[in-house]
């Protein structure tokens, strides 16, 4: 599987409607990832895409089948994760802050 194919596959699994949307979320120009069909990406652009997808660069490059090499860096508590992740998405779209407050209230009421 090529780098481009792997990025395309994982982006679909994460709910991105297109690679253009993924590129923009990574702070890249809209068609950068499509260029990876014929050109190698820079380390900086590859890392930006890996960060948005929540996978390691090694995974994108096909050097490992383990998506998350640095599991210690990711919080294992959902509250910590939500607090440490500035933008959460659902179906490739940002979750508005008002809805995030509702989600937090639901989760906080689970103990009751």
């Amino acid at each position: 599987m090529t780098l481009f194919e792997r990025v395309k596959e994982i982006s679909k699994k994460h709910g991105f409607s297109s690679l253009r949307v993924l590129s923009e979320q990574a702070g890249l120009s809209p068609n950068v990832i499509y260029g990876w069909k014929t050109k190698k990406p820079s380390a900086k652009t590859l890392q930006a895409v890996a960060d948005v997808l929540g996978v390691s660069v090694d995974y994108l490059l096909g050097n490992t089948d383990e998506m998350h090499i640095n599991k210690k860096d990711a919080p294992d508590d959902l509250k910590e994760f939500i607090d440490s992740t500035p933008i959460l998405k659902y179906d490739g779209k940002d979750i508005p802050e008002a809805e995030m407050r509702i989600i937090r209230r639901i989760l906080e009421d689970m103990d009751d």
Side-chain angles (χ1 to χ4, degrees):
M1 180 180 298
T2 67
L3 167 65
F4 176 78
E5 292 167 338
R6 191 167 275 228
V7 169
K8 187 174 179 180
E9 180 182 285
I10 193 71
S11 69
K12 281 186 181 183
K13 287 181 182 178
H14 279 76
F16 285 94
S17 58
S18 70
L19 292 177
R20 179 182 206 106
V21 172
L22 173 60
S23 290
E24 291 170 351
Q25 287 295 317
L28 307 172
S29 61
N31 294 316
V32 166
I33 296 173
Y34 289 103
W36 295 357
K37 288 181 183 180
T38 57
K39 296 185 286 186
K40 291 183 179 184
S42 71
K44 184 178 178 180
T45 58
L46 188 58
Q47 185 65 60
V49 170
D51 290 345
V52 170
L53 293 174
V55 299
S56 70
V57 170
D58 276 337
Y59 176 77
L60 291 181
L61 292 173
N63 295 333
T64 182
D65 289 329
E66 176 109 17
M67 295 175 99
H68 309 285
I69 296 297
N70 296 325
K71 290 182 181 177
K72 294 178 184 175
D73 294 341
D76 60 356
D77 183 281
L78 184 56
K79 181 179 182 333
E80 288 177 33
F81 177 77
I82 290 172
D83 291 344
S84 68
T85 306
I87 299 173
L88 290 176
K89 298 181 182 314
Y90 181 80
D91 197 24
K93 298 174 189 139
D94 291 351
I95 300 174
E97 186 55 38
E99 278 76 7
M100 283 304 301
R101 285 192 297 271
I102 293 168
I103 292 168
R104 286 172 200 225
R105 271 188 257 134
I106 291 168
L107 293 171
E108 288 168 358
D109 288 343
M110 283 183 1
D111 289 356
D112 297 342

